[in-house]
């Protein structure tokens, strides 16, 4: 089972799972660029429930919202940097429009 599926199954973060892998707390193998974690069938049946899935989905939604905010902020910073470069290179006129010489 890959890390994402194991995270959903156990209701723990991916970074925690990676720490467990480093500390050899899990049985795992690295295949095709992915960590695969070995679990037993009883472990799967006992661990998975709807509340784990809901917690995982909420966590994903929160992370998605944070990433959207970061993206907007980064785009604004890029636009500011572009304007500063244009200003520095003398390509902005009085109306803040770029002119090419």
């Amino acid at each position: 089972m890959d890390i994402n599926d194991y995270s959903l199954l156990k209701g723990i973060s991916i970074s925690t799972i990676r720490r467990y892998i480093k500390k050899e707390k899990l049985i795992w193998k690295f295949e095709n660029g992915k960590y695969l974690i070995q679990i037993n069938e009883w472990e799967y049946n006992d661990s998975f429930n709807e509340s784990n899935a809901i917690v995982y989905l909420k966590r994903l939604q929160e992370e998605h919202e944070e990433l959207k905010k970061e993206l907007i902020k980064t785009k604004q910073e890029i636009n500011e940097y572009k304007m500063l470069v244009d200003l520095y290179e003398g390509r902005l006129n009085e109306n803040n429009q770029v002119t090419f010489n």
Side-chain angles (χ1 to χ4, degrees), residues 76-92 96 98:
Q76 290 171 342
E77 289 174 355
I78 289 170
N79 286 334
E80 290 173 9
Y81 291 137
K82 284 180 179 179
M83 186 171 21
L84 287 173
V85 167
D86 288 338
L87 183 65
Y88 177 76
E89 292 179 351
R91 295 189 306 202
L92 284 182
N96 286 338
V98 178

Side-chain angles (χ1 to χ4, degrees), residues 3-96:
I3 289 178
N4 291 326
D5 292 340
Y6 192 78
S7 173
L8 175 61
L9 176 71
K10 293 294 188 177
I12 56 178
S13 71
I14 291 172
S15 58
T16 298
I17 295 168
R18 290 186 188 280
R19 282 194 299 275
Y20 288 171
I21 289 171
K22 271 187 173 178
K23 293 180 180 183
E24 301 289 333
K25 289 185 173 185
L26 300 169
I27 300 171
W28 59 274
K29 65 180 177 178
F30 192 74
E31 190 175 283
N32 296 326
K34 289 185 176 185
Y35 286 98
L36 300 176
I37 301 165
Q38 179 180 336
I39 64 166
N40 299 316
E41 186 177 337
W42 59 267
E43 186 178 13
Y44 178 80
N45 291 334
D46 288 346
S47 295
F48 187 77
N49 61 46
E50 191 174 327
S51 65
N52 285 352
I54 291 170
V55 168
Y56 180 74
L57 287 174
K58 284 182 182 178
R59 202 173 335 128
L60 285 178
Q61 287 172 336
E62 290 169 2
E63 185 177 346
H64 176 74
E65 290 302 316
E66 283 298 314
L67 289 172
K68 282 183 7 183
K69 289 176 187 176
E70 285 182 40
L71 179 60
I72 290 168
K73 182 180 175 188
T74 303
K75 285 180 177 181
Q76 290 171 342
E77 289 174 355
I78 289 170
N79 286 334
E80 290 173 9
Y81 291 137
K82 284 180 179 179
M83 186 171 21
L84 287 173
V85 167
D86 288 338
L87 183 65
Y88 177 76
E89 292 179 351
R91 295 189 306 202
L92 284 182
N93 63 22
E94 303 84 38
N95 298 323
N96 286 338

